[in-house]
Amino acid sequence: MHFQWYPGHMTKAKRMMQENMKLIDLVIELVDARIPVSSRNPDIDELGKNKARMIILNKADLAEERWNDVWTEYFRQKGYEVVTMNSRNSGKMKSVHGVIQKACKEKIERDRKRGILNRPVRAMVVGIPNVGKSTFINSLAGKACAKTGNKPGVTKGKQWIRLNKQVELLDTPGILWPKFEDQEVGLRLAFVGSMKDEILQTEELAIELMRFLNQDYPGVLEEKYEIAGAEDLYTLLEQVAESRNCLVKGNQYDTEKAALLLLDDFRSGKLGRITLEYPEEV
């Protein structure tokens, strides 16, 4: 399976980010805690060089806690301020404000020495499609000020949002990059829903996910779907179809429907907390 999804609006979005970067003090980059490196757009490092940087390991409630801790330390060693969170849960948002101030302490100190007081930190929120940027902004602001959706590509243009006297945010559309050098990266992005399912071969994708789960999380599928398990992955998918009554005329297995169900169960955390990549692979 070959993965690529780069609609025209993403080129426009990247250009807009380049143009606005000169106005920015801080780049807040949201990544998916299940795939912290695969969900980072490599263009962001180039666009945001010489800016303060902050990583939000979002959807951390869907990833294994022990790996969240390892990834947090990984990024801190590289000089980023890091917060792990689930942006749908506003409980951790107060700590984010503190980390923003910490990330920009040099800039705030420079302003103070030049007699510039109370100028708000201007932060650009960036990330790939469907990583939760708009939900994060709405939780941080305490109100629905950015469009949200559970499909990639909801935010199409830029939006400035004033959080308080100290912070202004620039929301940007989610952008992928024109070519995946490593198709494993494309596979992981497809697993978590950062590409439109309509362009993917769903059964193949589900089978690849089952291959990973059998290797790194043995027994998860058997327990969740109350199935016997099988070495042949297509047979395993048929067992999922039978377990969830995914049938078509003549009591044939509807493996397409079963594949979508499996992917939805993974993405929503119904299979448990699962991390798809580890620092030693990077």
Side-chain angles (χ1 to χ4, degrees), residues 223-275:
E223 184 180 340
K224 169 66 180 174
Y225 299 109
E226 299 175 339
I227 55 179
E231 283 191 23
D232 178 69
L233 293 170
Y234 194 80
T235 302
L236 196 60
L237 186 59
E238 288 181 331
Q239 288 183 11
V240 173
E242 183 177 25
S243 166
R244 289 299 183 262
N245 204 30
C246 299
L247 304 170
V248 290
K249 267 185 183 177
N251 275 348
Q252 297 294 309
Y253 299 124
D254 188 344
T255 48
E256 179 74 22
K257 185 177 178 182
L260 283 168
L261 184 141
L262 175 68
L263 290 166
D264 282 346
D265 283 348
F266 163 69
R267 291 168 183 170
S268 62
K270 289 177 184 172
L271 298 182
R273 297 178 70 165
I274 290 167
T275 296

Side-chain angles (χ1 to χ4, degrees), residues 100-259:
I100 288 173
Q101 297 301 310
K102 184 181 175 187
C104 293
K105 64 185 178 190
E106 289 180 15
K107 174 259 175 200
I108 294 166
E109 185 59 25
R110 274 198 313 270
D111 280 356
R112 190 185 64 77
K113 285 178 179 175
R114 290 158 59 194
I116 303 169
L117 302 176
N118 302 321
R119 186 173 85 78
V121 168
R122 289 189 139 190
M124 181 184 284
V125 182
V126 300
I128 62 169
N130 206 29
V131 78
K133 293 186 308 302
S134 296
T135 304
F136 166 75
I137 289 170
N138 290 341
S139 294
L140 198 58
K143 57 184 183 292
C145 52
K147 292 178 184 175
T148 62
N150 60 0
K151 287 189 174 183
V154 172
T155 305
K156 290 292 199 295
K158 69 174 181 179
Q159 304 179 72
W160 276 104
I161 296 118
R162 189 176 179 88
L163 295 186
N164 50 41
K165 290 179 181 178
Q166 295 176 307
V167 183
E168 292 178 354
L169 291 184
L170 177 61
D171 186 19
T172 60
I175 59 169
L176 293 172
W177 50 108
K179 186 181 180 185
F180 301 136
E181 299 298 336
D182 181 357
Q183 284 297 301
E184 281 293 313
V185 170
L187 183 63
R188 290 173 189 137
L189 289 168
F191 283 158
V192 301
S194 288
M195 298 183 202
K196 288 191 174 176
D197 283 336
E198 292 84 352
I199 69 164
L200 302 169
Q201 293 165 315
T202 316
E203 287 173 79
E204 279 188 51
L205 190 61
I207 282 171
E208 288 302 323
L209 179 59
M210 289 192 299
R211 191 188 313 281
F212 171 83
L213 293 172
N214 279 351
Q215 179 183 304
D216 285 41
Y217 293 87
V220 162
L221 295 171
E222 288 81 355
E223 184 180 340
K224 169 66 180 174
Y225 299 109
E226 299 175 339
I227 55 179
E231 283 191 23
D232 178 69
L233 293 170
Y234 194 80
T235 302
L236 196 60
L237 186 59
E238 288 181 331
Q239 288 183 11
V240 173
E242 183 177 25
S243 166
R244 289 299 183 262
N245 204 30
C246 299
L247 304 170
V248 290
K249 267 185 183 177
N251 275 348
Q252 297 294 309
Y253 299 124
D254 188 344
T255 48
E256 179 74 22
K257 185 177 178 182

Side-chain angles (χ1 to χ4, degrees), residues 1-20:
M1 214 173 357
H2 183 76
F3 299 95
Q4 206 59 57
W5 185 54
Y6 194 71
H9 77 266
M10 290 191 184
T11 306
K12 184 180 174 185
K14 183 181 174 184
R15 197 176 305 123
M16 181 268 286
M17 287 166 68
Q18 285 172 317
E19 290 167 359
N20 284 279

Side-chain angles (χ1 to χ4, degrees), residues 41-65:
N41 185 333
D43 293 340
I44 300 299
D45 279 339
E46 181 60 29
L47 287 170
K49 65 183 179 185
N50 304 321
K51 302 292 179 181
R53 301 293 299 276
M54 183 171 162
I55 294 269
I56 303 285
L57 283 163
N58 197 28
K59 305 187 182 183
D61 57 313
L62 300 177
E64 270 197 271
E65 189 72 46

